[in-house]
Amino acid sequence: MKKLQKKQAGLARRHRRVRGKISGTAARPRLCVTRSNSNLYVQFIDDVAHVTICGESTLGEAFKATGKSGANVEGAAAMGEIAGKKAIEAGITEVVFDRGGNLYHGRIKALADGARAAGLKF
C-alpha cells in the first residue's frame, strides 16, 4: 500500500471509531470538523434527523474578512469563534465534538477552544 493510501485508511479508521461513540441530536448536535492542509470546515449536524443545521469554512466570507490563514493555529482559533457565533445564532448552545479522526492538538484544539470562547458548551 502506498504511503498516502495508508494515511487515508488510518484517518478513516479513526473517524469510524470516533463516530461509533458519538452522535448528535437536535438538542445537542455534533460539531464535525474536517481538516485539509490549507482549510478547515465545520458543520453542526443532527444525526437523528439526518440534517446539517449550519456550517462554516475558512473559504467563507466571514473568515476571509479576518485576514487570517486557515492553515495555522491562529486561523483555526478565529474559525472556531466564527463557527461558535453562527451556531449560537442558530439556537445551538451545547454540542458533541467530532474531531473527524484527527488528533486533538494543534488546529483542531485551537478550533475547539475558539468555539468554547464564543459560548458553546462541549
Side-chain angles (χ1 to χ4, degrees), residues 2-122:
K2 295 181 182 175
K3 188 175 183 179
L4 180 62
Q5 290 174 329
K6 283 185 178 181
K7 190 173 185 177
Q8 289 173 336
L11 181 68
R13 190 170 49 249
R14 285 189 305 273
H15 193 196
R16 200 170 41 248
R17 186 170 57 234
V18 169
R19 282 288 293 121
K21 297 175 185 175
I22 63 170
S23 180
T25 62
R28 193 168 178 188
R30 176 169 55 100
L31 189 158
C32 180
V33 178
T34 305
R35 179 183 71 90
S36 72
N37 285 338
S38 56
N39 292 301
L40 289 167
Y41 308 89
V42 178
Q43 293 180 324
F44 295 89
I45 302 170
D46 178 1
D47 290 316
V48 175
H50 304 290
V51 68
T52 300
I53 300 167
C54 64
E56 190 64 46
S57 77
T58 54
L59 300 173
E61 293 177 13
F63 181 79
K64 286 186 178 181
T66 64
K68 296 186 180 185
S69 170
N72 58 29
V73 174
E74 293 83 19
M79 180 68 222
E81 289 183 24
I82 292 168
K85 289 176 185 175
K86 189 169 183 177
I88 289 173
E89 289 174 6
I92 300 169
T93 57
E94 292 188 12
V95 295
V96 177
F97 190 69
D98 177 7
R99 59 189 171 88
N102 299 298
L103 297 178
Y104 187 79
H105 78 290
R107 288 191 287 162
I108 302 297
K109 184 178 183 212
L111 188 138
D113 292 340
R116 283 188 189 103
L120 287 181
K121 293 184 181 179
F122 286 48

